[in-house]
Amino acid sequence: MIVVDTNMIGYLLLTSERSAQAEQVLVKDPHWAAPLLWRSELRNVLATYVNRAFISLEDAIQTLSEAERLMKDSEYDVASDQVLRLAQQSRCSAYDCEFVALAMALKVPLVTVDKKVLAQFPAISLDPSEFLSR
């Protein structure tokens, strides 16, 4: 099991320069976990794509449905006090620290491309390339 952030879920399901890499991460470890926050973050990304006419509303709904199937039974609540402590220590956003807190609680790596998270939490976070090379 690994924790992935919303970007990784988006890269997997939305065509981008990182899609192939996200697929490789999924092949290496198909048990992805995330805090409940991932849903709101992905909804926001999809709403932005729809509003900018990058994708249709129907495609956004289908993408969200695929994401929900992928993450079924792998969504977790996180301790608010831990999130706030991590945010205070690192100056990362509370949003980002939800993913860090979950990885710490589950004792698994967080796979992310977020440079600030990677810099502030090197003991728990891995870039996808680093994860794939292990």
Side-chain angles (χ1 to χ4, degrees):
M1 176 186 287
I2 58 174
V3 171
V4 294
D5 64 8
T6 307
N7 287 328
M8 289 300 299
I9 297 168
Y11 294 147
L12 181 68
L13 299 173
L14 297 164
T15 304
S16 76
E17 71 281 351
R18 293 196 178 259
S19 294
Q21 187 179 53
E23 290 171 11
Q24 292 171 346
V25 170
L26 184 65
V27 168
K28 182 168 183 174
D29 192 329
H31 300 103
W32 287 14
L36 291 167
L37 172 68
W38 79 267
R39 286 177 177 255
S40 294
E41 288 188 334
L42 188 59
R43 285 182 197 124
N44 191 54
V45 168
L46 293 170
T48 300
Y49 280 25
V50 168
N51 290 336
R52 293 186 180 171
F54 295 155
I55 62 174
S56 69
L57 177 59
E58 293 75 24
D59 286 344
I61 291 169
Q62 181 180 348
T63 299
L64 190 55
S65 180
E66 289 175 39
E68 289 169 345
R69 278 193 300 279
L70 172 71
M71 300 306 294
K72 187 176 189 287
D73 300 324
S74 298
E75 303 168 287
Y76 296 84
D77 197 10
V78 293
S80 295
D81 61 328
Q82 178 69 359
V83 171
L84 293 176
R85 282 187 181 90
L86 292 168
Q88 187 272 326
Q89 290 171 353
S90 66
R91 304 278 192 225
C92 289
S93 73
Y95 300 116
D96 290 338
C97 289
E98 287 205 25
F99 295 91
V100 175
L102 180 60
M104 289 176 166
L106 296 176
K107 297 181 172 78
V108 299
L110 164 60
V111 179
T112 181
V113 298
D114 188 300
K115 292 183 186 339
K116 192 169 186 182
V117 170
L118 290 164
Q120 291 296 313
F121 300 101
I124 196 87
S125 63
L126 296 170
D127 178 87
S129 297
E130 186 179 357
F131 173 75
L132 291 169
S133 70
R134 290 185 164 202

